[in-house]
Amino acid sequence: QVQLVESGGGLMQAGGSLRLSCAPLRNIFGIDAMGWYREAPGKQRELVATITSGGSTNYADSVKGRFTISRDNAKNTVYLQMNSLKPEDTGIYYCNALKYGSTYWGQGTQVTVSS
């Protein structure tokens, strides 16, 4: 079982920046890909960005050029640097980890961007 803890959400004005962090409650081995997903009010959860243990990244088109995902493999911690925030970035951001074919989710952190 992998318990993930997110931090760094909050309220920000459009154009501002936030940095999200996510780490397992206990340091563990064997995590492959990690990523961030978000759920906007009234919408389905969608991919924001993912990163493999080798550092390969993937981004949703809506965040390319504005968000950067990074990872500290020694700590199994994944970060999401969000710049040039827009009101449509508002939502609950969930951390995700893939380990030995199983998927784990954090509890989510709220990001609200005001216009």
Side-chain angles (χ1 to χ4, degrees), residues 17 23 35-36 40 42-43 50 70 72 95 102 104 106-107 112:
S17 298
W36 292 94
K43 295 186 177 181
T50 61
S70 60
D72 183 334
C95 177
S102 295
Y104 301 92
Q107 293 298 308
T112 303

Side-chain angles (χ1 to χ4, degrees), residues 2-52:
V2 178
Q3 291 179 282
L4 301 170
V5 180
E6 301 108 332
S7 61
L11 174 64
M12 178 57 64
Q13 287 188 331
S17 298
L18 284 172
R19 188 188 193 217
L20 306 182
S21 300
C22 170
L25 197 60
R26 299 186 309 276
N27 199 17
I28 57 174
F29 299 98
I31 290 183
D32 186 12
M34 299 186 78
W36 292 94
Y37 291 69
R38 69 185 178 192
E39 203 168 293
K43 295 186 177 181
Q44 289 187 329
R45 193 173 298 187
E46 62 176 1
L47 178 146
V48 175
T50 61
I51 185 167
T52 67

Side-chain angles (χ1 to χ4, degrees), residues 68-101:
T68 302
I69 189 169
S70 60
R71 179 172 173 172
D72 183 334
N73 283 333
K75 299 177 182 178
N76 279 319
T77 300
V78 64
Y79 306 95
L80 186 68
Q81 178 67 42
M82 304 186 294
N83 298 329
S84 303
L85 283 163
K86 302 177 181 180
E88 50 264 43
D89 295 319
T90 294
I92 302 174
Y93 283 68
Y94 295 91
C95 177
N96 165 283
L98 182 66
K99 178 176 184 282
Y100 300 148

